[in-house]
Amino acid sequence: MSAQAPSALIAEDEPLLAAALQAELARAWPELRIAATVGDGASAVQQALALQPEVLFFDIRMPGMTGLEAAAALADQWPTEERPFPALVFVTAYDQYAVQAFEAQAMDYLLKPVQPARLAKTVAKLQLALAQPAQAAINLEANFEATLGQLRGLLARGLDGGALAGPAAAPLQHIQANVGTSIRMVPLAEVVYLEAADKYVRVLTAAHEYLIRTPLKELLPQLDAQTFWQIHRGTVVHSACIHSVERDEAGKLSLKLRGRPETLPVSRLYAHRFKAM
């Protein structure tokens, strides 16, 4: 932990709200240095990795990548062997239902518009952790897996800036893909894996590859979660097609598949699926 004044990164796509939070932080915590303010999730990940602040204030709803997705992506790339994962505070305008979900988690949150009294409690909690650098480092390191677990739970609940999931429908059985002037009905049983590609999804079977226009985020709730496992932010595999799981010297996991030559990386967020193997 640095002996210098602690630093923070604010990720908020509304400039006025970002400025308001920065101003409130200046009053509540004058020593805190705002290393950067960014307006989208991808920039939040990039700047957090570059600047390595002690504290992150992530808005939930940001363009391109939500705050939860950004936190998950950052957790996947953070050099935990060199530096503890930052204290993460979500800033949200969610309703009471979502707030209750956040309260069940160990992470802190701030409800928009940020109230000085509530911010003061968050600041006190952060200052207490940072004032005990050795213990904080131990705690943050020990809590990293818990942070990943919390992110998994929040993402699974659909609290990533999208609508809350409705009642579960029957899992999808076929994917409809345009092939020339025809529509091919691709049985899910033949799909080896799905991969997000910008606004599209690549559907890969053992013998073919299709491109569909449905974003992976919309497709995921329609899949049987027992059969199709998300292993990365943009990758879902048919569990029966996993041939083996490999671990490299850095501890990162990758999958070899039946029916496809590709090797697929497994993000830290989803590595828990393979701990027992």
Side-chain angles (χ1 to χ4, degrees), residues 167-183:
L172 201 65
Q173 298 298 316
H174 295 81
I175 285 179
Q176 299 181 25
N178 289 320
V179 179
T181 57
S182 65
I183 297 176

Side-chain angles (χ1 to χ4, degrees), residues 27-105:
R27 281 187 279 274
W29 195 353
E31 299 81 13
L32 183 69
R33 179 173 60 86
I34 304 301
T37 300
V38 298
D40 62 87
S43 297
V45 175
Q46 182 183 32
Q47 288 298 299
L49 287 170
L51 301 172
Q52 299 196 348
E54 284 81 9
V55 185
L56 305 172
F57 292 94
F58 275 13
D59 181 26
I60 291 293
R61 295 197 178 194
M62 292 188 287
M65 186 187 293
T66 69
L68 283 175
E69 290 172 336
L74 181 61
D76 201 41
Q77 301 175 58
W78 190 263
T80 51
E81 66 281 2
E82 300 174 6
R83 192 174 177 86
F85 195 73
L88 179 60
V89 179
F90 285 121
V91 185
T92 175
Y94 272 108
D95 60 17
Q96 189 60 31
Y97 177 87
V99 170
Q100 288 173 356
F102 281 106
E103 286 177 333
Q105 311 296 327

Side-chain angles (χ1 to χ4, degrees), residues 171-252:
L172 201 65
Q173 298 298 316
H174 295 81
I175 285 179
Q176 299 181 25
N178 289 320
V179 179
T181 57
S182 65
I183 297 176
R184 187 72 50 85
M185 301 295 288
V186 183
L188 263 295
E190 295 181 5
V191 173
V192 178
Y193 73 97
L194 304 157
E195 185 176 67
D198 197 9
K199 296 179 181 179
Y200 298 86
V201 167
R202 296 172 64 213
V203 180
L204 297 111
T205 68
H208 300 285
E209 175 178 338
Y210 306 93
L211 198 64
I212 62 173
R213 293 186 177 183
T214 305
L216 188 61
K217 183 180 290 188
E218 292 182 18
L219 194 58
L220 265 173
Q222 302 178 60
L223 302 175
D224 182 351
Q226 299 300 316
T227 301
F228 285 91
W229 295 0
Q230 187 166 15
I231 61 163
H232 206 279
R233 190 165 67 92
T235 313
V236 177
V237 299
H238 194 303
S239 57
C241 297
I242 299 173
H243 176 269
S244 61
V245 184
E246 310 290 336
R247 185 186 299 276
D248 68 14
E249 294 180 352
K252 295 183 178 179

